[in-house]
Amino acid sequence: MKTLKKLFNNSSLLQKLLVIFLTVTIIPLIFITVFFYDRTEQRLLELTYENMSSSNQQINSNVNAHLNNLRQISSLIYTDENLQAYLTQNYTRDYSFVEAYRYIDGLLYSLLTANNNIASINLYVDNKSLPEDGLFLKHITLENLPLEYLTQLQQTYGNNIFSNVIQDKTGNNVIYLGRILNFNAQSHFYGMVTIGLNEELLYKLIEKEEQNKSVYLLNEKNQIISASDKSLLNLSFSEAIGPELSINQEVVTIDGHPHLLVYNTMPHGWKTVSLTPIDEIMSSSRQTAMQIVVIALFSIVLSILMIIVIAKYLSLRLRKLNRQAAQVEKGNFTVMLTDSSKDEIGQLNAAFNKMSTRLKDMIDKLYVKEIAKRDAELYALQSQINPHFLYNTLSGISSLAIQNDDIEVSKMLNHLARFYQTSLNMGHQYITLEKEIALTKHYLAIQHMRFEDSFIERWEVDESLCKHETLKLLLQPFVENVINHAIYDDQQCLEIFIRIYQSTHAGVPALFLEVEDDGCGMSSEQVETLLSTESKAGYGIKNVHERVQLAYGQNYGVTIQSQAGLGTKITIILPLQQHD
């Protein structure tokens, strides 16, 4: 997130405007287009489903009407007691069955005439005394009835069943309704009736609904019994087409293309199945979507061109203002902008011109005078703390002490003179580590004269580091702090350990300066606040810490480890800098 913000802040005005435009225009446009296209697709699918379902219901109604007609005819034949008597009578005399033929022919002819959609009606009997008439009446044999269909009929117990699609002797595809003829009070049957219905008649019912879709009529076993492709007849729908029939509305994939599948079931188990390619359903919506995309792209390109022109115009004026600011930064206050427009950029230019004029006046009147005043003050201050004057004065006092046989005062003055000579360092900020050690030793010699044997110092110095350069007055403030604040028992000598060594810090070699004592120590609260306070005990520590960080960076500075009653250890971490 920070990287993106930085990248945006560092980009040009033109780039910012383009990013903002693309963000507030293209993203909503894409979202709206995708949303409405998705909603349109969903609504088209819903409407297509409703239309397909309505079409299937109409086909079911028409097919069911034909099938109910076949059932009514089979019921008439099943309940005709005269027909039953003729079919079950035992004929012993020649031509005694003529009357039976006359009744059967008259009955079935009248049924065929009244129902011209019926392909055929046949009666099958097991009565050998009643010969076949070569027209309607046949014996129950495997030649006349396939074994599978005969077995199915015998297991119906008087119910209607439909056969698969069977080709008759003329080559027509026929579906037969079959029913066993039995005595109502007995399980024994005396014959069978089959009523044929041409498959072509069923196909005519679904043909007019096949507009941009495929319609199939299935039986209760999901076998195709009517379709435009006659080679699919009697095949299982899943075997012939592909998908299983699980729910009555779903999207299925056939030959790699998505289709909407809808089926409706008739009361007796037959189904009407419709398949519509989704590509055809969505073709109109996709054309509309493409038109919207083309218009949107044209609008976006035109808008981008307008933004580029406007951004270049604005950025040109801002670049002029930026160039003027660069001139002012260099101290040139004479160049003025001539933008006379009244918009925000024009107002900014006018304000900038006024600012430049006032700034020039202020510099002329105040800054130059202030610099001269500061120079005079600094010169006076430098004169007051002139090192030569200080050294000569201390040397004169030392000579007077020797003349009066006061050797201790002479030693103290000599140490003090050497201390200030090293610390002032001709006004330079950096000294060698060797001089820093000498400066600290001069200070310790003076303090020994004051406190006698109240403390003892121990040095552990890596001599190879003495030529390295460091800030001056780093060790002395901490040694002074120890002497002034760490002594808590006048009867016990305070030990001060001063160590200088090289180690690794933040993955690079570094110089470590340590001042450790076994004095009174500090609590954790005192340690936490020591570097942030300006108390007498912490002022020198804070000063060293700030000077180190200003000189070398935030990775370096002062750390404090202390425990009440056990002592304190101060560590100063510096980069290694070889003195030239």
Side-chain angles (χ1 to χ4, degrees):
M1 187 66 184
K2 290 183 178 179
T3 303
L4 291 177
K5 184 177 180 181
K6 182 179 180 182
L7 185 63
F8 182 79
N9 290 335
N10 294 336
S11 60
S12 65
L13 179 63
L14 174 60
Q15 292 171 337
K16 286 185 174 70
L17 289 175
L18 287 176
V19 169
I20 293 172
F21 172 75
L22 295 177
T23 303
V24 302
T25 304
I26 292 184
I27 294 178
L29 180 62
I30 293 174
F31 174 77
I32 292 171
T33 303
V34 171
F35 175 77
F36 280 104
Y37 178 73
D38 182 69
R39 294 296 299 169
T40 302
E41 277 196 344
Q42 292 297 325
R43 185 56 185 158
L44 279 175
L45 288 176
E46 292 173 1
L47 291 174
T48 304
Y49 165 69
E50 293 174 1
N51 292 334
M52 292 171 67
S53 181
S54 176
S55 173
N56 287 353
Q57 289 176 358
Q58 184 61 44
I59 294 173
N60 286 357
S61 177
N62 294 334
V63 171
N64 208 38
H66 284 285
L67 299 184
N68 285 337
N69 187 40
L70 297 185
R71 294 189 187 93
Q72 290 176 1
I73 295 172
S74 71
S75 296
L76 288 175
I77 296 174
Y78 183 82
T79 58
D80 192 322
E81 295 181 355
N82 292 329
L83 179 62
Q84 177 181 332
Y86 282 120
L87 294 179
T88 57
Q89 183 178 342
N90 186 21
Y91 298 95
T92 58
R93 294 180 299 167
D94 293 340
Y95 304 108
S96 58
F97 47 79
V98 173
E99 185 178 351
Y101 283 172
R102 188 180 296 116
Y103 183 82
I104 293 170
D105 292 347
L107 174 64
L108 299 187
Y109 267 125
S110 63
L111 291 175
L112 287 172
T113 303
N115 300 275
N116 55 6
N117 292 329
I118 297 176
S120 63
I121 301 177
N122 290 299
L123 294 173
Y124 298 87
V125 296
D126 204 20
N127 187 357
K128 300 302 181 182
S129 65
L130 181 61
E132 296 181 357
D133 65 353
L135 186 60
F136 298 111
L137 189 61
K138 298 180 180 179
H139 289 153
I140 298 175
T141 63
L142 294 178
E143 182 180 352
N144 292 329
L145 279 173
L147 177 61
E148 180 182 357
Y149 192 48
L150 177 62
T151 304
Q152 290 177 352
L153 284 172
Q154 289 175 339
Q155 295 174 353
T156 60
Y157 304 104
N159 296 320
N160 295 305
I161 65 168
F162 290 92
S163 69
N164 294 339
V165 180
I166 301 174
Q167 279 193 347
D168 61 10
K169 294 180 180 179
T170 61
N172 293 324
N173 293 320
V174 181
I175 300 169
Y176 291 98
L177 179 146
R179 186 172 187 175
I180 209 165
L181 300 176
N182 58 6
F183 297 100
N184 291 334
Q186 302 176 10
S187 298
H188 178 69
F189 72 93
Y190 60 86
M192 302 176 186
V193 60
T194 62
I195 306 171
L197 184 66
N198 285 324
E199 181 271 334
E200 192 64 29
L201 176 65
L202 295 178
Y203 178 68
K204 287 180 180 179
L205 299 178
I206 64 177
E207 182 181 18
K208 56 185 178 181
E209 302 294 340
E210 286 190 319
Q211 296 176 354
N212 299 325
K213 62 182 176 181
S214 301
V215 183
Y216 304 90
L217 190 63
L218 312 183
N219 61 15
E220 66 278 3
K221 298 178 181 178
N222 290 340
Q223 294 172 317
I224 299 175
I225 56 175
S226 184
S228 59
D229 186 357
K230 305 305 178 184
S231 64
L232 303 178
L233 299 180
N234 293 332
L235 294 178
S236 168
F237 183 78
S238 59
E239 176 186 352
I241 307 302
E244 297 286 346
L245 297 179
S246 54
I247 55 177
N248 63 349
Q249 176 197 1
E250 62 178 330
V251 176
V252 298
T253 301
I254 301 175
D255 297 331
H257 299 284
H259 288 67
L260 181 60
L261 183 148
V262 178
Y263 73 86
N264 296 72
T265 306
M266 303 179 202
H268 55 276
W270 282 23
K271 299 179 182 69
T272 301
V273 181
S274 297
L275 279 174
T276 303
I278 290 183
D279 290 339
E280 293 187 9
I281 300 174
M282 301 303 168
S283 59
S284 60
S285 66
R286 287 170 182 168
Q287 290 177 356
T288 304
M290 285 302 299
Q291 292 172 355
I292 294 174
V293 170
V294 170
I295 295 172
L297 288 176
F298 176 77
S299 302
I300 290 170
V301 171
L302 183 61
S303 301
I304 290 175
L305 292 176
M306 293 176 63
I307 286 177
I308 291 174
V309 172
I310 295 172
K312 283 187 175 181
Y313 170 71
L314 295 177
S315 63
L316 178 63
R317 297 170 66 193
L318 291 174
R319 282 198 297 270
K320 289 181 180 179
L321 180 60
N322 187 40
R323 286 196 294 268
Q324 174 62 13
Q327 291 296 320
V328 171
E329 182 183 6
K330 294 176 181 178
N332 183 4
F333 299 96
T334 59
V335 180
M336 294 294 165
L337 295 168
T338 57
D339 194 333
S340 60
S341 61
K342 301 299 182 182
D343 60 5
E344 287 79 0
I345 297 179
Q347 294 174 14
L348 183 61
N349 288 334
F352 187 84
N353 287 337
K354 292 179 181 178
M355 182 195 71
S356 299
T357 303
R358 290 192 62 188
L359 188 60
K360 184 176 184 302
D361 292 340
M362 291 176 65
I363 289 175
D364 291 341
K365 294 178 180 179
L366 300 176
Y367 186 65
V368 173
K369 293 181 180 180
E370 186 67 23
I371 289 177
K373 181 180 178 182
R374 289 291 183 184
D375 287 343
E377 291 176 351
L378 288 174
Y379 178 78
L381 182 62
Q382 185 176 4
S383 298
Q384 293 174 11
I385 60 171
N386 189 295
H388 296 289
F389 172 75
L390 181 61
Y391 304 153
N392 293 335
T393 301
L394 291 174
S395 296
I397 297 172
S398 177
S399 298
L400 289 175
I402 293 174
Q403 291 175 10
N404 294 318
D405 296 326
D406 198 338
I407 304 302
E408 293 299 319
V409 173
S410 177
K411 288 183 180 179
M412 181 177 288
L413 288 171
N414 284 330
H415 285 299
L416 184 61
R418 295 295 181 90
F419 174 82
Y420 278 111
Q421 182 183 18
T422 306
S423 62
L424 290 174
N425 194 32
M426 300 299 291
H428 298 301
Q429 186 179 5
Y430 296 92
I431 61 175
T432 62
L433 191 57
E434 182 180 24
K435 289 183 178 182
E436 176 70 14
I437 295 171
L439 182 150
T440 306
K441 287 183 177 180
H442 286 304
Y443 174 79
L444 285 169
I446 295 172
Q447 296 304 318
H448 273 298
M449 294 179 183
R450 287 183 59 199
F451 297 104
E452 296 181 350
D453 297 327
S454 296
F455 67 90
I456 184 172
E457 68 272 14
R458 303 184 187 279
W459 291 84
E460 297 177 12
V461 179
D462 184 349
E463 299 296 337
S464 65
L465 301 174
C466 289
K467 297 301 180 182
H468 283 272
E469 193 176 64
T470 180
L471 285 171
K472 64 183 179 182
L473 290 175
L474 293 183
L475 288 172
Q476 184 271 332
F478 293 105
V479 173
E480 179 181 355
N481 216 48
V482 170
I483 295 172
N484 290 336
H485 300 287
I487 298 175
Y488 67 96
D489 187 353
D490 294 336
Q491 303 301 320
Q492 185 175 356
C493 181
L494 176 71
E495 285 192 274
I496 304 173
F497 298 90
I498 303 172
R499 305 182 185 92
I500 299 174
Y501 59 93
Q502 177 182 340
S503 186
T504 301
H505 175 69
V508 296
L511 179 63
F512 285 75
L513 284 67
E514 289 183 359
V515 178
E516 184 177 2
D517 66 80
D518 60 354
C520 61
M522 294 179 287
S523 65
S524 58
E525 290 79 8
Q526 290 175 306
V527 171
E528 289 177 1
T529 58
L530 194 57
L531 291 177
S532 60
T533 63
E534 294 188 359
S535 63
K536 292 182 178 180
Y539 181 75
I541 296 175
K542 179 185 177 186
N543 177 269
V544 172
H545 180 68
E546 289 179 348
R547 287 195 296 124
V548 169
Q549 291 204 327
L550 286 172
Y552 303 119
Q554 297 297 318
N555 286 333
Y556 301 96
V558 177
T559 61
I560 304 173
Q561 294 176 327
S562 184
Q563 190 171 355
L566 297 178
T568 302
K569 181 169 74 171
I570 304 291
T571 304
I572 309 168
I573 305 175
L574 307 170
L576 278 175
Q577 293 187 330
Q578 185 71 32
H579 177 63
D580 187 1

